[in-house]
Amino acid sequence: MFHVIVKIRKGKMIMDVKIKKLNENAVIPTKGSENAAGYDLYACCDGVVVINPHETEKIGTGLAIEPPEGYFGAIVARSGLATKYGLRPANCLGVCDQDYTGEYIISLHNDTDDTQIITYGDRIAQLIFLPYIDVEFCEVIELDSTQRGSDGFGSTGK
């Protein structure tokens, strides 16, 4: 592990993130625009990956990434891919822990009734780095009383 070093460039905080190509054809993540929060992840596959309707396929990125200490990589859908083609990460939000050093693989799910195709170099998801907080659970007999209490799903209205 390495210590987080924050730089300021054009008024923005920038952190160094270690990345390793596991496949020489892997594409380093890129931002779609200057102020984008997410970095596009690219398919690193041989040939064509067919995703049948309502099925999931795992697609490699060819990359291993080490988030900075105290951060994790969040894998989220690309809005255009999800809305236009019905393709999204199968788990909706993938959590790549700081200590995971393997290939970032995206389980892409097809929510449509049409077969979808992914080829090498297609942008398949976004990667966002988020901080996390370590906690210690403190077992208690009672939780604090609140107005909502244990009222669950839909209890606060539509």
Side-chain angles (χ1 to χ4, degrees):
M1 284 200 211
F2 65 103
H3 295 286
V4 177
I5 298 174
V6 177
K7 305 174 230 176
I8 304 295
R9 187 178 305 138
K10 294 183 183 178
K12 296 180 187 176
M13 292 187 343
I14 308 288
M15 291 187 292
D16 288 335
V17 173
K18 291 182 181 179
I19 190 166
K20 178 182 177 181
K21 282 189 174 185
L22 302 174
N23 181 314
E24 65 184 33
N25 296 319
V27 179
I28 301 295
T30 61
K31 292 193 333 177
S33 68
E34 182 181 350
N35 292 316
Y39 291 81
D40 290 332
L41 293 171
Y42 295 82
C44 187
C45 53
D46 294 327
V48 171
V49 176
V50 175
I51 309 175
N52 291 315
H54 309 288
E55 291 188 3
T56 301
E57 292 292 333
K58 293 179 183 174
I59 303 170
T61 63
L63 301 169
I65 302 170
E66 184 178 323
E69 191 171 340
Y71 287 77
F72 71 96
I75 305 295
V76 298
R78 295 192 67 251
S79 59
L81 198 61
T83 58
K84 293 178 182 175
Y85 302 101
L87 294 173
R88 61 165 173 83
N91 54 347
C92 295
L93 175 70
V95 175
C96 299
D97 294 313
Q98 178 186 328
D99 58 353
Y100 174 67
T101 58
E103 181 180 12
Y104 277 34
I105 297 173
I106 311 305
S107 295
L108 211 53
H109 185 77
N110 179 358
D111 284 318
T112 73
D113 293 327
D114 300 317
T115 299
Q116 302 294 338
I117 304 294
I118 296 294
T119 60
Y120 166 81
D122 285 349
R123 295 177 295 167
I124 56 174
Q126 294 184 81
L127 173 64
I128 301 170
F129 293 100
L130 297 170
Y132 66 88
I133 298 171
D134 278 327
V135 300
E136 290 184 11
F137 291 98
C138 304
E139 187 174 359
V140 297
I141 295 172
E142 292 289 329
L143 297 176
D144 294 341
S145 177
T146 67
Q147 183 177 0
R148 181 175 179 182
S150 61
D151 293 342
F153 298 105
S155 65
T156 61
K158 188 172 182 180

